[in-house]
Amino acid sequence: APVVAEQRQRLEQQRQAARRRAHFCDQLVTAHTQTDWSNPDWQQIDRLVQQARTEWRSLGGVDSATWKKLQQRFTAAIKPFESQLAKVRKAEQLRRERLIKQVERLAEEADIDSAVAQAKAAQASWKPLVAAGRQVEQRLWNSFKAATDAVFERRSAIRESSEQEQQANATAKRSILDKLQQLISADAPDWMASRSACEQLRSEWREIGAAPRQQYKKLQQQFDQLLHDFDAAEAAGRLAQQRHELQLLLRKAELCDRIEQRLCGGGSGVDTASAEWASLPPLQTAAETAMQGRYQRVAATLESGAQGSAALCAESGDNLLLCQKLAVEIELLLEIDSPPEFHQQRREWQLSHLSSAMTGGLADSESTQQRAARLLVQSCATGPLPEQAAAGMHRRWRKIVDALIG
């Protein structure tokens, strides 16, 4: 009997997986039909096709006969997208091959300033709508970089006019090295300002003419090493800042939860928690405004009495639904697991997201990390949660923070 039950359960799971896969194929066909192919976002479509292939592998197992039919349906559904992408990919490869030839001819241009301006314009137009394979991209980039480097190196050679000028150039380069070292050694720097200063120094370095030959190699090696050291220091510093900010965000959110729960439970201990809030430092991002808004609402509720408390506490159920919805989206963005009870909601969101994006409905300039962080702030600033659900949401928030700073 247990074996029979297990077989039945396995067959039911396969039937459910088959239905999910069939529905997924239908979604792809519908998305292709609804896409405005006269003005598509090729980069977005390319990414989403890759996501569709990843999602297809995760929709559950079926028997071999059903699998063959479903795989054929999926291949037929995805092929129209791939065919369109292949045309754009080839056109972009040819365009950049022509661009390489144009830049290669600039190395012999009589007007070096015009040649440099054209090389920079070529750099600005290099990025493809749809990238080719990794080996092709590497080959194209190596050829393009060699062509542009030849133009810039020729400009540098022309500037080598006299020993006095070259010595002045060497002095200027040493000054840049000193400034770079100061950026790296600064205590608690503003990394946005430091990065801007570093890029300015990099630009100044490129603009300086050649140093004496016997000094050039050593100066360039020192410059390259300092740039590497700055990148490493910036990455570590930004990560530390982000870790501190996110941990402080969670601390403020959890403290708001405690204050709200005590308020909803009769108000005992609210003064102590409020004092703790006042002792916390401010966040350095727009998250501080959001969290202050949540806390100020609690403070206003304390002044309004029982009626205001009841209104605030009555929102906890809706707040929980919103936080759960946001958590699923963030977990998908960061590719981390959701609790089992949210797997169906996760699949529904993925299908909806894929369909909307392919029909032009998800134009978004945010990176995955930026969007995930923004949604986390929105979730933390939502408002009171049911007491029995708060701990579970806090665990999900902490897991999200670990993924953001991991």
Side-chain angles (χ1 to χ4, degrees), residues 20 55 328 331-332 336-350 396:
R20 288 196 298 271
E55 173 65 10
V328 165
E331 288 157 352
L332 276 163
I336 57 179
D337 291 337
S338 302
E341 61 267 27
F342 294 99
H343 285 182
Q344 181 59 35
Q345 183 178 350
R346 183 180 175 117
R347 282 191 291 270
E348 291 172 356
W349 188 95
Q350 286 174 304
R396 294 178 76 179

Side-chain angles (χ1 to χ4, degrees), residues 70-81:
L70 288 170
Q71 183 63 29
Q72 289 173 346
R73 282 187 65 183
F74 177 74
T75 300
I78 208 75
K79 184 176 181 181
F81 294 104

Side-chain angles (χ1 to χ4, degrees), residues 162-391:
S162 68
E163 181 178 349
Q164 183 178 4
E165 180 182 355
Q166 290 178 356
Q167 289 292 353
N169 292 340
T171 300
K173 287 178 180 286
R174 291 191 190 95
S175 176
I176 289 177
L177 296 179
D178 291 340
K179 292 175 181 177
L180 268 176
Q181 184 60 60
Q182 291 171 10
L183 288 178
I184 295 169
S185 304
D187 292 331
D190 177 344
W191 285 110
M192 183 175 295
S194 294
R195 168 52 66 181
S196 178
C198 179
E199 292 305 317
Q200 179 62 34
L201 292 174
R202 191 198 297 265
S203 177
E204 292 176 10
W205 182 276
R206 288 196 297 262
E207 294 298 324
I208 296 173
R213 182 173 300 176
Q214 65 273 22
Q215 301 178 41
Y216 171 80
K217 184 176 181 180
K218 182 178 180 180
L219 286 170
Q220 188 62 46
Q221 288 176 340
Q222 290 176 327
F223 181 67
D224 292 340
Q225 182 61 50
L226 284 172
L227 288 178
H228 179 272
D229 293 346
F230 177 86
D231 289 342
E234 180 189 29
R238 284 184 180 275
L239 182 61
Q241 286 179 348
Q242 184 187 34
R243 180 182 294 109
H244 175 268
E245 286 291 292
L246 290 172
Q247 290 174 345
L248 181 57
L249 172 67
L250 291 192
R251 187 176 173 187
K252 290 196 169 193
E254 292 172 3
L255 180 55
C256 277
D257 277 335
R258 293 207 308 273
I259 296 173
E260 289 157 348
Q261 287 167 14
R262 291 173 183 177
L263 183 62
C264 294
S268 175
V270 169
D271 291 341
T272 301
S274 297
E276 183 180 350
W277 174 273
S279 70
L280 293 177
L283 294 160
Q284 300 302 311
T285 64
E288 178 64 18
T289 301
M291 294 308 300
Q292 280 292 346
R294 180 177 178 183
Y295 177 75
Q296 290 302 326
R297 188 178 178 203
V298 174
T301 300
L302 280 170
E303 296 180 359
S304 65
Q307 185 176 357
S309 298
L312 180 68
C313 300
E315 299 174 3
S316 62
D318 290 340
N319 291 342
L320 177 61
L321 292 177
L322 176 58
C323 287
Q324 289 172 340
K325 176 178 178 294
L326 292 171
V328 165
E329 182 173 352
I330 299 170
E331 288 157 352
L332 276 163
L333 288 170
L334 300 179
E335 299 182 353
I336 57 179
D337 291 337
S338 302
E341 61 267 27
F342 294 99
H343 285 182
Q344 181 59 35
Q345 183 178 350
R346 183 180 175 117
R347 282 191 291 270
E348 291 172 356
W349 188 95
Q350 286 174 304
L351 290 173
S352 174
H353 180 80
L354 178 63
S355 177
S356 296
M358 288 186 174
T359 54
L362 285 177
D364 196 343
S365 60
E366 289 180 305
S367 70
T368 296
Q369 293 278 319
Q370 289 171 333
R371 181 172 177 80
R374 178 174 61 79
L375 294 177
L376 176 61
V377 170
Q378 181 183 350
S379 183
C380 288
T382 296
L385 299 173
E387 183 175 2
Q388 67 275 18

Side-chain angles (χ1 to χ4, degrees), residues 39-64:
N39 186 30
D41 183 342
W42 291 112
Q43 292 177 338
Q44 182 70 11
I45 290 175
D46 187 30
R47 287 193 297 269
L48 289 168
V49 166
Q50 301 308 315
Q51 292 173 7
R53 290 189 177 280
T54 300
E55 173 65 10
W56 179 253
R57 292 193 292 269
S58 68
L59 291 178
V62 297
D63 62 86
S64 57

